Amino acid sequence: MNQEENKAIAREKWVFDKAVRMLFLFGERILLFAIASLAIIAATIEILGFVDTRSVNLADLLLLFIYLEVIGMAAAYYSSHEVPIKLPIFIAITGITRLIILQGKELDPTNLIYEAGSIFLLAASYGLLRWFRSKDS
């Protein structure tokens, strides 16, 4: 192979790689838009349910916080192509808290201990991540 053939092959590979990257970027943007749109629609349906029933409880508010965090996570990823680790941790903590509230007092106490322990582990992991990041700075 001569040098011109090598350049032609490299150019073709570059064009193919660029097309694949653009395809992934387009798919990523479409899915982010779908996730954010569906979260907004779900939150709107919940709010309309509040208006219809004229009552709101803590579990409903926590569900709205989950929708808000999902929208925030999609927006953060759209702008920076990174998901801050705190958003999934906060979603998990809020989801487990909502689960505890929805289960009520009839639940076996050991399950409550496990769920509270998982919230503690998530909060501790976030605290450790912040601590290690502050030491790196």
Side-chain angles (χ1 to χ4, degrees):
M1 285 188 154
N2 64 24
Q3 198 171 15
E4 287 185 26
E5 289 175 340
N6 285 341
K7 285 182 181 179
I9 290 172
R11 196 173 317 119
E12 288 175 8
K13 184 178 184 253
W14 181 81
V15 169
F16 177 76
D17 287 347
K18 186 174 180 181
V20 169
R21 272 183 271 152
M22 292 302 290
L23 180 66
F24 281 124
L25 183 63
F26 179 73
E28 177 184 276
R29 299 293 169 126
I30 292 294
L31 287 174
L32 284 171
F33 179 76
I35 290 168
S37 298
L38 291 172
I40 290 169
I41 290 169
T44 303
I45 291 170
E46 283 294 317
I47 291 170
L48 292 175
F50 301 158
V51 171
D52 187 38
T53 61
R54 295 179 191 226
S55 69
V56 179
N57 59 35
L58 183 58
D60 296 331
L61 293 175
L62 290 173
L63 184 59
L64 286 179
F65 275 116
I66 291 172
Y67 292 141
L68 179 66
E69 291 295 333
V70 168
I71 292 166
M73 191 166 51
Y77 189 80
Y78 186 85
S79 63
S80 68
H81 293 284
E82 292 179 354
V83 174
I85 192 67
K86 71 179 181 180
L87 293 177
I89 290 175
F90 290 165
I91 291 171
I93 289 172
T94 307
I96 296 168
T97 304
R98 184 174 185 273
L99 176 70
I100 291 171
I101 291 169
L102 288 175
Q103 288 172 344
K105 296 179 182 176
E106 304 83 37
L107 185 68
D108 183 24
T110 56
N111 285 350
L112 181 61
I113 292 171
Y114 295 143
E115 292 162 349
S118 64
I119 290 173
F120 174 76
L121 288 174
L122 286 165
S125 66
Y126 179 67
L128 285 173
L129 286 171
R130 285 194 50 136
W131 184 66
F132 283 120
R133 281 191 183 163
S134 69
K135 288 188 83 170
D136 289 341
S137 299

